Amino acid sequence: MILEERPDGAGAGEESPRLQGYDSLTQIQCGQLQSRRAQIHQQIDKELQMRTGAENLYRATSNNQVRETVALELSYVNSNLQLLKEELEELSGGVDPGQHGSEAVTVPMIPLGLKETKELDWSTPLKELISVHFGEDGASYEAEIRELEALRQAMRTPSRNESGLELLRAYYNQLCFLGARFLTPASSLRLFFHWYDSLTGVPAQQRALAFEKGSVLFNIGALHTQIGARQDRSCAEGARRAMEAFQRAAGAFSLLRENFSHAPSPDMSAASLCALEQLMMAQAQECVFEGLSPPASMAPRDCLAQLRLAQEAAQVAAEYRLVHRTMAQPPVHDYVPVSWTALVHVKAEYFRSLAHYHVAMALCDSSPTEGELPTHEQVFLQPPTSSKPGGPVLPQELEERRQLGKAHLKRAILGQEEALRLHALCRVLREVDLLRAVVSQTLQRSLAKYAELDREDDFCEAAEAPDIQPKTHQKPEARMPRLSQGKGPDIFHRLGPLSVFSAKNRWRLVGPVHLTRGEGGFGLTLRGDSPVLIAAIIPGSQAAAAGLKEGDYIVSVNGQPCRWWRHAEVVTELKAAGEAGASLQVVSLLPSSRLPSLGDRRPILLGPRGLLRSQREHGCKTPASTWASPRPLLNWSRKAQQGKTGGCPQPCAPVKPAPPSSSKHPGWP
């Protein structure tokens, strides 16, 4: 699985950073909408179960009266489902007004709702795995299991800030630890992971831990969209923060799309993720424009600044037109809320009209110098009805510039009126007064400027305004979510270093073995840290007589667990033993040709090729994902390694962290 990353030293030594952001006040303030979504998801789940039962009864019975009754019941169930989905669509499609006490009015953004999940009982399967695979008392790990369950419960309702992201990242990385420690390609946790689709509310379940990880990664991206939509974009710093949040969201969806296939829910399908990537990149591009665009009262008068804003607005319009085409096509059209498609269409028309407005300001309110003329001509595209072989020619005379400015203002007015018309057609958007206020405000400015330029004796033929060439000084790119920032100590680190003590390896516990000092010492050579490896045994020595073997790992010295001890600590303890000797417990590796079943109570360990390598060599690799069935619905694909992108924007590849140093962080695998 490409998404699994080995933990590095970041966050080591922290007591319990995972539950930050889970305070009750924040949960009350931000959880009302999420709670309603959860209720709707449960109601949809209930109605779907009723529909399934009614459909089975309809197919099974041959009684016409029963079939008529069932058909009537099915119509009621389908009607209820439609109403619930419409309500969920309103919640999911509701745009964030983004009012922050600023006088400036900004266009609302589209945030995503988080995927909901049911409660999960980790206790039984984890205790059984600890007993079966590790030969330890599962009940002694009750505190660790409770901590994992508390972390999962907390990440279900994260706060809409960096603390909430920290919760999701922490849980995601604990899932990586769980997969590496407890699972093999032929086993599973025997748990059903239930998640509700973020867009449709339809429930889905799988036994694959990859489904849980993918859903958490989706929520990381969705929470980034909510954080971005809440920023005050009326100032340059707020626009920059919003742009970064949308870039991180696009990176999360891209990472999910490149490594996730056969998704059981529509919101995690390749088509939906591709549309969400495009939407986030368009919103990030809009933030670039807003970072450059000052309030109307402070609008620049120089020609170059206005033309730059015109091309930036045209670039935003082009991005939203691409998103609208994607959302209007199946299967995305069937999943995405109608209000999203309508808002994207409104934005495409609005920003295209805004580009013409800024060009009109450049033509009518400023006079370019001789050196600026080529820049002007690069702004325009050839009109579709023009037969001239070259590009549009910039008027030199003041009157000609006024006529062309009027033509651009006319196109701006028509575009803004079209945006208002599209806004009025969508019932959900009609309730968003802020969007109508933004477009209406811009329309009033355009009409006022047009009235200023219009003359009663103006009988000249109206000029044809060419399209604006899209161009941006900053093209946003998808950025990977900072998953490494949520890395903390493995909750089950007491089981031992992952390089040895995980479910892929098999071992036999030997001892306690009493080892005395001979004339030449104990007769063994130790190597490595956490755990310490017996690298060599001198034939005929005390160690050989005690039954120790080359390749054994020391796990206890004089009754003290030493799985996480460094080499120097074990040597010091052995030297202090004196003539009385020392009591050792070791684990001897067994052939890994057969993994025991859950009925086989022999302890096992990880590593398909043996464990004679150092921990550093083993610690930098991530085990493969686990599946609940020979052919699961959910797979982690290798498309990213093969360079197949599926036609969506390609983010920067994540950088693999360096292997951790056991000398600095003895509590890390």
Side-chain angles (χ1 to χ4, degrees), residues 155-472:
M155 72 89 200
R156 293 176 63 187
T157 53
S159 55
R160 296 166 67 184
N161 50 33
E162 188 62 31
S163 297
L165 288 173
E166 180 69 19
L167 273 177
L168 290 169
R169 289 193 293 253
Y171 182 65
Y172 177 86
N173 283 287
Q174 290 303 319
L175 293 177
C176 294
F177 281 122
L178 286 175
R181 185 178 295 279
F182 292 111
L183 302 181
T184 68
S187 68
S188 73
L189 290 173
R190 300 197 301 175
L191 280 171
F192 277 109
F193 299 100
H194 297 259
W195 287 86
Y196 293 92
D197 189 277
S198 175
L199 302 177
T200 64
V202 176
Q205 65 177 19
Q206 279 194 357
R207 285 189 173 184
L209 186 66
F211 182 41
E212 179 88 348
K213 290 179 63 178
S215 299
V216 175
L217 184 57
F218 183 94
N219 276 359
I220 290 175
L223 190 56
H224 272 296
T225 69
Q226 296 183 13
I227 293 174
R230 298 183 69 212
Q231 299 300 318
D232 180 8
R233 307 190 315 276
S234 61
C235 61
E237 179 60 25
R240 185 197 61 80
R241 289 195 300 266
M243 180 184 69
E244 181 179 359
F246 290 127
Q247 287 176 297
R248 297 287 183 189
F253 298 139
S254 176
L255 189 62
L256 194 55
R257 176 179 59 84
E258 290 297 323
N259 300 279
F260 198 70
S261 60
H262 305 292
S265 58
D267 58 354
M268 295 170 66
S269 65
S272 296
L273 291 173
C274 187
L276 292 177
E277 286 177 60
Q278 294 177 353
L279 174 61
M280 294 307 115
M281 296 310 296
Q283 295 191 142
Q285 190 69 61
E286 182 178 347
C287 294
V288 173
F289 171 79
E290 290 173 332
L292 296 173
S293 180
S297 59
M298 301 173 58
R301 292 280 180 179
D302 61 291
C303 189
L304 287 179
Q306 290 286 359
L307 291 178
R308 183 182 182 186
L309 289 175
Q311 290 191 294
E312 291 284 354
Q315 181 68 40
V316 177
E319 297 286 345
Y320 277 119
R321 284 197 297 272
L322 176 63
V323 177
H324 182 259
R325 284 197 297 269
T326 302
M327 287 185 172
Q329 297 176 355
V332 180
H333 175 73
D334 301 327
Y335 307 145
V336 173
V338 176
S339 58
W340 287 12
T341 307
L343 179 57
V344 166
H345 197 183
V346 169
K347 285 192 173 188
E349 292 294 333
Y350 169 71
F351 281 101
R352 182 164 60 178
S353 69
L354 207 57
H356 287 286
Y357 173 80
H358 285 294
V359 167
M361 294 299 100
L363 290 170
C364 301
D365 288 355
S366 59
S367 298
T369 62
E370 190 68 24
E372 293 176 345
L373 291 179
T375 306
H376 283 65
E377 295 176 1
Q378 293 171 7
V379 172
F380 302 116
L381 293 175
Q382 180 68 39
T385 59
S386 176
S387 59
K388 298 180 181 180
V393 179
L394 184 71
Q396 302 297 318
E397 299 297 330
L398 182 60
E399 179 61 23
E400 293 178 351
R401 293 169 62 81
R402 186 184 68 83
Q403 291 291 341
L404 184 57
K406 280 185 59 179
H408 280 287
L409 274 176
K410 185 176 180 180
R411 289 196 63 177
I413 292 170
L414 291 175
Q416 289 150 11
E417 290 177 343
E418 176 66 12
L420 286 175
R421 187 188 69 83
L422 294 173
H423 173 273
L425 290 177
C426 181
R427 180 173 59 87
V428 177
L429 290 186
R430 286 200 300 268
E431 300 175 1
V432 184
D433 296 332
L434 183 60
L435 177 60
R436 182 172 60 252
V438 171
V439 182
S440 299
Q441 188 180 82
T442 308
L443 176 60
Q444 293 303 318
R445 290 202 306 267
S446 301
L447 289 172
K449 188 63 179 178
Y450 189 86
E452 178 184 335
L453 296 176
D454 195 20
R455 299 174 183 173
E456 293 184 1
D457 57 348
D458 192 355
F459 300 107
C460 298
E461 183 179 355
E464 185 176 8
D467 290 330
I468 312 302
Q469 174 70 49
K471 185 179 179 181
T472 179

Side-chain angles (χ1 to χ4, degrees), residues 86-140:
E86 287 179 0
E87 184 177 357
L88 180 63
E89 180 178 309
E90 292 183 9
L91 294 177
S92 300
V95 294
D96 197 309
Q99 298 187 25
H100 308 276
S102 173
E103 295 181 358
V105 182
T106 54
V107 181
M109 294 290 190
I110 299 179
L112 270 70
L114 302 184
K115 291 174 68 71
E116 297 286 345
T117 183
K118 294 183 178 179
E119 293 186 2
L120 194 64
D121 180 17
W122 293 94
S123 179
T124 302
L126 288 182
K127 286 180 180 179
E128 185 174 2
L129 281 167
I130 290 172
S131 300
V132 171
H133 293 288
F134 297 89
E136 299 192 25
D137 182 12
S140 65

Side-chain angles (χ1 to χ4, degrees), residues 477-495:
E477 295 181 355
R479 302 176 63 182
M480 293 299 104
R482 293 187 283 257
L483 298 177
S484 60
Q485 289 189 359
K487 288 183 180 177
D490 180 10
I491 291 179
F492 294 93
H493 74 280
R494 275 203 299 137
L495 289 171

